[in-house]
Amino acid sequence: MAVIELAALPVIETDALVVGAGPTGLMAGLVLARRGVDVLVIDAKSGPTRESRALAVQARTVEIYDQLGLAEDMLAEAFEARSVQVGNSAAGVVAGLADAQGAATRYPGIHVFEQSRNEELLGEALAARAPVRWNTRLIAILDDGSEPGAQDGPAHAEALAEGPEGLVRIRARWCIGADGAGSAVRHAMGVGFQGVTDHATFYVADLRGVRGVPEETIAIRIGGGSLALLFPMGPGGHARIISMAPGPEVGQDEALAAARSELGITCADVDWFSTYRVHHRVASAFRKGQLFLAGDAAHVHSPVGGQGMNTGLQDAHNLANHLADIALGIAAPAAADAYEAERRPVAKRLVSVTDRLFGLVAGRSRGTARLRRLIAPLAGFAAPRVLASRLGSHVAGLLGQYRIRYGAADRAAVGGADRAVGLRLPEVGANAEALRRLSWQVHTYGAHVDHCDLPTAVDGPLDFGADPQGRLSAERAYLVRPDGFVAASLPVEDGAIGAGALRVALAANDLIPA
């Protein structure tokens, strides 16, 4: 066996190494590149994904695409699902999901845009700045940066990879593992991936000529022995079904026969069929040294609610902005700690909720089957009424992922009594255009500010006029992060932002003062 002399291998230096060029890795690479950070994205595959896997794009993800200038292209190709139909037949009442979200986001409803098309959209945007290195496989992490190095300056991670031209060492300030549920980066970190694998078998199929499902509607069919979700993918009955299989092993004909007899779902043709098991797992840590996990490498769960791809994209958006702040000298290295503190609780809540829902709808016991039969007519009756209520608006916001709140270690330091703190900034006036700068900003919404001693890296104060919905106070100034979340609420008195309050808020967010 040949001995590899590591010192003799070529070395690539970069700020960030991203392992995996799925939606999560591409989002991380694009945000870093857009903010002027040197990034290298590698993937063992020969090219982008062609299979149609995840397909639901939630409202918050479209808002992020808008910030990156990609929403218009995405919406031009997406198929919009504005409603939900719950029940056990085509006669179920349609509930208005878009209506429940409409006042809170410019992109209500669920946008059906397959994973492969998300990858194409993000990949083309990234290619102009940092093209993906395909056919390049991570071999090992040589140094995770968790121990102090001999070199001066920031800690680094070092990886060994194999590409078309042979072995290469990659030395990066950070390494992001976006390489899926079997993540090599996670294995190198040595962190656990706690959770369970459900014994039930599910199948997924892309169908043509489906009958009995209203246009632009996600249908949830509930039977005693089965449950199915149908996502519209285009006109003429083009839909995807995700359903429990009638047994542990199932073929296409048996599965679709059960869907027809149990749930009343028929189709003319099948484009694609596959079976799988559902996993509910969360990594015990999202960071070790200079290594980070995002997307499926950090958490996996059931497809209930169409949350998976969106959560990974938002992991990447969050992490890349924290790392860019550090790389650009805007924030101290401690700012990287915020990623795990903010995103791991999101993943844990998501896995917990989807696990409980999955247990309710997918259990094989006779009791669960009887419960499903009872729930079906009640759910069809209740769904439109719930979505039209205040509770429905809250649930719709969680589904759309725009109601996620990030907590601060010291809420008093950032004006946490203001309910806007920790939430994504609502759209008012032209503030969406300002957020496309991907910079730290101070906003006001009717408050007059003559002077504010801001660090040079913080834009503002920018006034967008009073918030007609009253979510943002006309007597406060808001410190807004590059990812669009409100980092602090600051008092405005006599045309000035309190210097002491500003100093405390900057320190709480690890920002480096001017």
Side-chain angles (χ1 to χ4, degrees):
M1 180 181 294
V3 176
I4 299 173
E5 292 288 345
L6 293 178
L9 294 177
V11 178
I12 298 174
E13 301 267 359
T14 187
D15 286 319
L17 167 64
V18 180
V19 182
T24 299
L26 292 170
M27 173 64 79
L30 179 58
V31 173
L32 287 164
R34 281 281 301 272
R35 293 198 61 189
V37 178
D38 190 35
V39 60
L40 172 62
V41 182
I42 66 172
D43 198 295
K45 300 192 303 292
S46 60
T49 298
R50 299 301 178 195
E51 298 86 0
S52 173
R53 297 177 184 172
L55 75 168
V57 177
Q58 303 289 356
R60 175 56 187 161
T61 299
V62 188
E63 292 177 352
I64 292 172
Y65 279 160
D66 177 69
Q67 186 186 35
L68 297 171
L70 302 177
E72 185 174 337
D73 289 341
M74 177 258 175
L75 293 172
E77 297 185 33
F79 194 78
E80 188 174 10
R82 299 183 60 83
S83 304
V84 178
Q85 182 190 60
V86 184
N88 57 1
S89 75
V93 179
V94 174
L97 175 61
D99 294 338
Q101 295 180 335
T105 177
R106 194 160 28 125
Y107 305 106
I110 293 176
H111 304 271
V112 178
F113 194 64
E114 301 161 61
Q115 176 178 331
S116 58
R117 297 166 77 187
N118 281 273
E119 292 184 16
E120 182 180 0
L121 180 73
L122 293 163
E124 288 179 355
L126 177 62
R129 296 173 169 84
V132 175
R133 291 199 178 201
W134 300 105
N135 295 303
T136 302
R137 179 171 61 100
L138 179 71
I139 301 296
I141 298 294
L142 304 175
D143 181 1
D144 62 18
S146 59
E147 299 295 332
Q151 73 279 2
D152 294 330
H156 287 78
E158 189 167 332
L160 178 66
E162 183 178 29
E165 298 178 359
L167 293 172
V168 62
R169 291 162 56 200
I170 303 173
R171 189 165 184 265
R173 190 165 180 184
W174 303 284
C175 173
I176 300 172
D179 49 343
S183 172
V185 175
R186 189 184 66 246
H187 287 296
M189 290 168 63
V191 302
F193 202 37
Q194 289 86 1
V196 297
T197 299
D198 196 272
H199 295 298
T201 299
F202 267 61
Y203 69 86
V204 57
D206 285 353
L207 309 177
R208 301 276 181 176
V210 176
R211 296 181 179 180
V213 180
E215 291 286 330
E216 299 184 347
T217 298
I218 295 171
I220 303 173
R221 298 285 177 83
I222 306 171
S226 188
L227 169 128
L229 287 80
L230 279 89
F231 291 88
M233 297 181 68
H238 185 198
R240 172 171 300 171
I241 182 173
I242 300 173
S243 179
M244 291 171 57
E249 302 292 336
V250 64
Q252 175 179 309
D253 292 343
E254 181 187 0
L256 296 181
R260 182 170 56 251
S261 62
E262 175 82 15
L263 303 167
I265 297 168
T266 63
C267 68
D269 294 295
V270 180
D271 288 345
W272 175 63
F273 178 89
S274 182
T275 61
Y276 64 96
R277 294 280 177 86
V278 171
H279 306 269
H280 302 92
R281 299 183 184 278
V282 181
S284 58
F286 282 16
R287 179 187 185 185
K288 180 184 179 186
Q290 303 304 94
L291 310 184
F292 297 83
L293 300 174
D296 286 354
H299 46 80
V300 292
H301 45 84
S302 86
V304 173
Q307 303 289 291
M309 178 173 64
N310 296 272
T311 307
L313 288 167
Q314 292 173 49
D315 286 347
H317 187 249
N318 176 293
L319 175 58
N321 275 298
H322 283 309
L323 298 185
D325 287 339
I326 299 168
L328 299 174
I330 297 169
D337 295 338
Y339 170 66
E340 179 169 322
E342 292 172 352
R343 294 303 300 177
R344 191 165 182 272
V346 171
K348 288 178 68 178
R349 284 195 299 271
L350 178 59
V351 168
S352 175
V353 169
T354 58
D355 188 22
R356 289 198 298 269
L357 285 173
F358 190 81
L360 174 65
V361 302
R364 291 290 183 185
S365 70
R366 290 182 179 179
T368 305
R370 285 196 295 269
L371 181 61
R372 278 198 295 269
R373 290 190 184 96
L374 175 65
I375 285 175
L378 295 177
F381 174 81
R385 290 161 177 79
V386 170
L387 279 177
S389 69
R390 180 174 296 182
L391 172 62
S393 176
H394 181 81
V395 171
L398 295 176
L399 180 67
Q401 295 202 356
Y402 54 80
R403 289 190 65 88
I404 290 171
R405 181 187 294 276
Y406 296 144
D410 182 357
R411 291 192 62 80
V414 294
D418 189 326
R419 294 179 62 186
V421 174
L423 292 172
R424 111 307 189 198
L425 184 74
E427 186 170 339
V428 177
N431 67 1
E433 180 62 34
L435 291 179
R436 293 192 182 102
R437 301 176 197 170
L438 288 168
S439 64
W440 282 83
Q441 302 172 11
V442 167
H443 291 195
T444 56
Y445 292 87
H448 176 71
V449 176
D450 293 316
H451 173 73
C452 181
D453 190 17
L454 296 175
T456 55
V458 180
D459 296 338
L462 309 172
D463 186 62
F464 297 97
D467 176 11
Q469 297 186 42
R471 298 159 298 184
L472 301 167
S473 171
E475 299 178 351
R476 312 287 292 186
Y478 294 91
L479 179 63
V480 183
R481 306 183 338 179
D483 64 359
F485 277 75
V486 177
S489 173
L490 306 165
V492 176
E493 297 179 0
D494 299 324
I497 297 174
L502 176 61
R503 186 166 53 251
V504 170
L506 293 175
N509 286 280
D510 295 303
L511 296 184
I512 298 172

